[in-house]
Amino acid sequence: MTSLRSWSTAALAALLFPLGATAAAQPAASATTVKLSVLSSAPQWVSGGDARIHVRAALGQRDKLEFLLNGRPHAVAMKEVADGLEGVVTGLAVGANQLEVKHRNGNVRDVITLTNHPITGPMFTGPQQQPFVCNTNQGGVARQPKVDSATPPGYRVTDGPTVASGNTIGYSRDCSIDTFVTYLYRRNTGGGLVALPADGVRPADMGTVTLADGRTVDFIVRREVGSINRFLYSIAMLAPAPAADSAKQDDTSRWNGKLLYWFQGGVAIGHSQGTVHSGSLNADILGQGMAIVHSSGNNTGTHYNMNIAGETAMMTKERFVERYGVPVYTVGLGGSGGAIQQYLIAQNHPGVLDGLLPVQSYPDMVTQTIHVGDCELLEYYMDVTDLNNAKWRTTKNRTWLVGFNAEEGFARVNDPFAGIKTALQLNTAPGSTECIPAWRGLTPLSMNPLYGQATNQQFYEPQSAIAAIRWTHYDDLRNVYGVDANGAARTTWDNVGVQYGLRSLNDGKITPAEFLHLNWSIGGWKHPSQMVQETFPFFPPLNAANTAAEINKALTIPGYFDPWSSKNMYLAPDAATPAPRTAGDPIAMRAAYTSGHVFGGRLDVPAIDHRQYMERELDMHNSHQSFAVRQRVTQRMGHSDNLVIWFTDTIPQTPKASQTLEALAVMDQWLMNIRANPKAGVAANKPPMAVDACFDRFGALMAAGAGAWSGILDGAAPGACTQAFPLYGTSRIVAGAPIEGGIYSCARKPIEKALADGTYAPWLPTAAEAAQLRQIFPQGVCDYSRPDQARP
């Protein structure tokens, strides 16, 4: 077998060298026709008042064409390209604009309607979220936003150097800034980029880079920063040193024509402009000649509205094309929420991305909330409700309920509150499940409207508007989910009919009595409108001044220690009544699908889904998610030929290898093959390295090929990678759900049918036990052989 290491060198070389392939040739323009088209966006999704256009015209016509905008002559600076003319039309009014190109004699013409939207948005995502807190004081921007309102509400703007100084001169609701350009360089010792001195003197430690044409040039990066759709964007590429002639400031001579869109992960619930991530200045990628574009609106540490993420990506790429031209291709790169954005944008907005490089992926976020919402219910059950059960004092046994891995033995995975739990005589284990180091705190963040904040919110006026924010995921997406009669966003989380621990019962890991007690007691989550503020360890936020006092309260005030958020759970009201379950809103569930927030498996472009295997340290990016993606793709497309999965092993507390640059090089080959031979399609254009594979912790190839991951989805004997990388599940998989997840509201079957079809085998419930099951599940139990009942 040829090693992927040797393939990597060839793939990387292809990324660095000139663009040899070209798009399929267009038919020659007729001498009697012209054809007008938009290059920077679809005609109905133009923003900011300008658009890059193309006119296909015969050579003899090109100098005889003129433009009319909304019926009036309009100057458009055009340049010759291979099959016609290309340029940027400016001066578009908000709304519909008719652009016409015609021959001076009037006989040859074409017309197109351009629908222009404000650069501040929105285009299609509905009313914009308010309050919206500006973050233009962050590093790399360091300026106040532009005043767009004389009076509140809005973010305060002053006449001082910062918002915290000077007198108020107005307010900003859109957080816009004037576009500006900076220059950075890489030192000859490597590392990240630093500011290029403004005095024009070449730094003594200037690094260099060799371009595809063999020239060795100074490693200088030009970075443009501005605001689009209320978020901050960054565009960076190799460039010559700043020129005195402003006309030369857009020099693209060192750009190889390829564009990478950086998508960032994180978890947040909006009301903030967010931050521009440092990945947008990745020197290793920029040094290959690629341009990198990024927006704080494509950072899920800003918000998790994937409609806004898609809209922002469309508008930001449009800006790039208008200023720098159409890229040879656009490839996405990003981890976690950055991976989710790639899958959903490719599904919902074809054409924005030509290839995907998801890292530490999930198929989407909204269906992760289904099982993550179980975490604290189950941890509370094991710690408190079932505190006399010695099984839960063995760390690994907790996997029997939560599905996630459980570990012990070093700081990250050990329960940080084990001492407090012991002092309070609660059940505890020496280690923890993934629920604790990875997901603890995200339940209140996503569900509790009283628990949240935005950076710089103190500068927003009036503060009563900040105090009125409902800090939930559902309210962040209220344009998607809709609102109920009380004005609160509709909610999706549901556990009606879920039989927690079912597979562990089947496997004999828990007893029938334990299964019944678990499902009798587990309960659900109150509606956000019924929730109360969190206490220790979430609120108030811990700091050096208050930690000791807060720990004392946790030890002395009943219920103050509440890492499970149990005060916002439905618990059993008495010994004779099972704890109520939570029913989600079917309108909200359906909206998650129809809005494109659920990844349905449509994948028409190549994707290399690669991740570091971090199950041993209980990282939240649990590894089975790559196969949840694959299963959804297979169900939708009938195959997953466009999707490649790579794992790289890791050991906790040691340096980690990454295959990202290798994946980028392989993707470059794949996309250039498609460009050279588009009729062959995606799968037929795979380069040799574009196969399933796994790597050891040093990044060396372990196994590759079609059978590497056998046994996970196909029932075949386990492949070499399958054997080397154990996968874990979720609480819903333990309850009988499929690996792809995504069941908001399960189809249900009567208890009588479950008793008859062997659901509980080998257990045969007695009449009394069957009666208890009916009491716990009056609406029946989940039948995961049938699809999600919320799915349109």
Side-chain angles (χ1 to χ4, degrees):
M1 179 187 295
T2 304
S3 78
L4 268 74
R5 283 289 148 199
S6 63
W7 289 341
S8 299
T9 303
L12 186 59
L15 186 61
L16 291 169
F17 281 89
L19 314 174
T22 58
Q26 297 291 325
S30 164
T32 59
T33 62
V34 293
K35 181 64 179 176
L36 179 61
S37 60
V38 186
L39 299 176
S40 49
S41 68
Q44 68 271 31
W45 303 126
V46 175
S47 65
D50 47 15
R52 182 171 287 274
I53 61 172
H54 177 269
V55 179
R56 187 157 58 87
L59 281 171
Q61 292 182 327
R62 297 177 188 178
D63 60 349
K64 302 177 178 65
L65 299 177
E66 58 186 26
F67 292 90
L68 287 84
L69 179 62
N70 297 322
R72 296 184 177 184
H74 193 76
V76 182
M78 304 292 283
K79 68 176 183 179
E80 293 266 355
V81 293
D83 57 347
L85 300 170
E86 184 177 315
V88 177
V89 58
T90 60
L92 303 177
V94 172
N97 296 262
Q98 181 173 280
L99 180 65
E100 179 180 358
V101 61
K102 68 175 185 177
H103 195 280
R104 288 171 187 162
N105 63 20
N107 294 330
V108 180
R109 61 188 295 273
D110 194 19
V111 179
I112 193 168
T113 297
L114 306 177
T115 304
N116 176 53
H117 306 264
I119 196 64
T120 52
M123 294 200 300
F124 53 79
T125 55
Q128 292 180 322
Q129 189 178 65
Q130 295 291 348
F132 190 74
V133 180
C134 305
N135 200 26
T136 60
N137 58 350
Q138 64 186 273
V141 183
R143 61 201 62 214
Q144 295 194 61
K146 296 164 69 172
V147 171
D148 54 34
S149 175
T151 60
Y155 184 86
R156 187 159 58 93
V157 183
T158 76
D159 58 6
T162 68
V163 65
S165 62
N167 300 308
T168 300
I169 59 172
Y171 298 86
S172 183
R173 298 175 184 176
D174 292 328
C175 301
S176 299
I177 62 171
D178 289 323
T179 302
F180 66 94
V181 171
T182 57
Y183 286 83
L184 306 102
Y185 77 101
R186 194 178 201 180
R187 295 187 174 103
N188 52 23
T189 54
L193 301 175
V194 296
L196 186 70
D199 59 11
V201 178
R202 184 180 186 273
D205 60 353
M206 173 70 75
T208 60
V209 62
T210 300
L211 303 179
D213 59 9
R215 288 179 295 152
T216 297
V217 299
D218 287 345
F219 200 131
I220 297 174
V221 170
R222 178 189 187 277
R223 187 191 203 192
E224 171 189 331
V225 175
S227 55
I228 290 175
N229 208 20
R230 303 197 300 174
F231 300 106
L232 298 167
Y233 76 88
S234 165
I235 295 172
M237 66 177 68
L238 291 176
D245 182 355
S246 61
K248 297 180 179 179
Q249 295 291 353
D250 288 353
D251 189 322
T252 59
S253 62
R254 298 180 184 178
W255 174 40
N256 68 6
K258 302 169 185 179
L259 177 62
L260 183 141
Y261 204 117
W262 184 276
F263 294 95
Q264 185 59 34
V267 181
I269 49 177
H271 294 284
S272 171
Q273 189 175 34
T275 58
V276 177
H277 193 265
S278 59
S280 61
L281 292 174
N282 186 299
D284 292 328
I285 295 172
L286 291 167
Q288 296 176 13
M290 301 188 81
I292 300 178
V293 62
H294 171 63
S295 168
S296 63
N298 292 114
N299 181 341
T300 55
T302 302
H303 66 87
Y304 243 116
N305 187 323
M306 294 295 97
N307 293 347
I308 291 177
E311 178 181 70
T312 302
M314 291 168 63
M315 295 174 73
T316 306
K317 183 178 176 181
E318 177 193 7
R319 164 66 181 179
F320 181 93
V321 173
E322 287 165 356
R323 183 150 189 174
Y324 302 104
V326 179
V328 173
Y329 63 67
T330 304
V331 61
L333 173 63
S336 190
I340 290 171
Q341 291 180 77
Q342 292 177 69
Y343 281 126
L344 292 178
I345 289 172
Q347 170 183 270
N348 301 336
H349 308 289
V352 175
L353 299 173
D354 301 303
L356 315 181
L357 293 172
V359 187
Q360 309 300 124
S361 69
Y362 305 96
D364 52 53
M365 187 280 281
V366 292
T367 62
Q368 300 308 301
T369 64
I370 297 169
H371 58 262
V372 171
D374 293 336
C375 263
E376 296 300 359
L377 298 176
L378 291 165
E379 293 287 345
Y380 182 80
Y381 174 79
M382 292 183 285
D383 287 347
V384 182
T385 307
D386 202 27
L387 65 86
N388 293 319
N389 191 336
K391 285 183 177 178
W392 313 131
R393 294 170 205 151
T394 299
T395 301
K396 279 290 187 182
N397 291 356
R398 292 181 170 232
T399 296
W400 299 347
L401 301 188
V402 303
F404 294 142
N405 189 25
E407 295 284 351
E408 60 187 60
F410 57 98
R412 173 176 165 77
V413 301
N414 291 337
D415 188 342
F417 302 117
I420 295 177
K421 289 162 68 176
T422 299
L424 295 174
Q425 298 183 327
L426 302 175
N427 217 355
T428 188
S432 64
T433 71
E434 183 187 310
C435 285
I436 293 177
W439 299 104
R440 178 150 282 171
L442 291 185
T443 296
L445 179 67
S446 62
M447 292 187 181
N448 192 336
L450 305 174
Y451 180 71
Q453 60 183 347
T455 301
N456 295 329
Q457 67 181 33
Q458 69 271 27
F459 302 121
Y460 192 92
E461 295 181 12
Q463 280 290 293
S464 58
I466 297 294
I469 293 173
R470 296 176 56 86
W471 298 99
T472 73
H473 160 70
Y474 308 114
D475 283 276
D476 189 23
L477 270 69
R478 62 192 294 118
N479 284 358
V480 174
Y481 295 140
V483 296
D484 61 20
N486 298 316
R490 298 180 183 275
T491 61
T492 60
W493 197 83
D494 186 293
N495 70 341
V496 176
V498 175
Q499 300 189 91
Y500 291 101
L502 178 61
R503 290 187 178 176
S504 293
L505 169 72
N506 299 146
D507 294 340
K509 295 173 180 175
I510 62 174
T511 67
E514 289 168 334
F515 174 76
L516 289 168
H517 185 257
L518 167 64
N519 284 285
W520 181 281
S521 308
I522 193 68
W525 292 105
K526 295 177 182 178
H527 190 278
S529 297
Q530 299 173 292
M531 290 188 174
V532 297
Q533 183 58 280
E534 305 295 324
T535 53
F536 184 87
F538 303 121
F539 192 85
L542 297 178
N543 55 53
N546 71 359
T547 296
E550 287 296 304
I551 291 175
N552 183 62
K553 290 180 183 178
L555 291 169
T556 58
I557 301 175
Y560 196 78
F561 174 65
D562 193 7
W564 320 274
S565 301
S566 65
K567 57 180 62 67
N568 291 316
M569 295 176 185
Y570 288 129
L571 300 174
D574 53 63
T577 308
R581 299 294 181 94
T582 299
D585 189 315
I587 294 175
M589 296 175 187
R590 284 181 175 263
Y593 282 102
T594 58
S595 66
H597 276 78
V598 175
F599 180 59
R602 176 179 172 182
L603 186 64
D604 298 318
V605 298
I608 301 177
D609 185 306
H610 58 294
R611 69 172 62 240
Q612 294 166 322
Y613 178 82
M614 294 190 286
E615 295 288 354
R616 299 181 189 92
E617 58 195 83
L618 307 184
D619 184 83
M620 64 165 48
H621 305 100
N622 41 85
S623 299
H624 87 277
Q625 300 291 348
S626 292
F627 298 95
V629 171
R630 172 163 282 175
Q631 184 71 350
R632 294 192 194 188
V633 171
T634 301
Q635 290 172 346
R636 170 65 184 268
M637 309 290 290
H639 64 85
S640 62
D641 297 344
N642 298 356
L643 176 63
V644 171
I645 296 176
W646 291 359
F647 278 21
T648 302
D649 203 3
T650 68
I651 298 295
Q653 301 176 313
T654 64
K656 294 176 171 62
S658 170
Q659 254 59 51
T660 292
L661 291 180
E662 188 168 3
L664 177 59
V666 176
M667 181 57 69
D668 176 72
Q669 284 189 336
W670 201 345
L671 292 173
M672 295 307 288
N673 288 351
I674 293 171
R675 182 175 172 84
N677 190 19
K679 291 183 179 180
V682 175
N685 274 303
K686 280 184 177 180
M689 278 182 64
V691 293
D692 286 348
C694 55
F695 304 82
D696 68 18
R697 68 188 185 96
F698 303 105
L701 177 68
M702 296 171 62
W709 296 111
S710 294
I712 296 175
L713 300 177
D714 57 9
C721 294
T722 306
Q723 295 177 56
F725 295 90
L727 300 182
Y728 297 87
T730 68
S731 54
R732 297 299 170 103
I733 292 175
V734 175
I739 190 172
E740 66 270 20
I743 307 293
Y744 276 115
S745 179
C746 65
R748 293 187 286 273
K749 58 187 177 184
I751 292 296
E752 286 70 22
K753 184 175 181 181
L755 293 170
D757 66 13
T759 292
Y760 305 107
W763 175 40
L764 296 174
T766 66
E769 290 168 333
Q772 191 173 0
L773 284 169
R774 293 187 190 94
Q775 192 174 2
I776 297 169
F777 300 108
Q779 297 169 277
V781 295
C782 288
D783 179 0
Y784 287 114
S785 67
R786 297 158 61 194
D788 185 5
Q789 298 304 285
R791 187 168 190 155

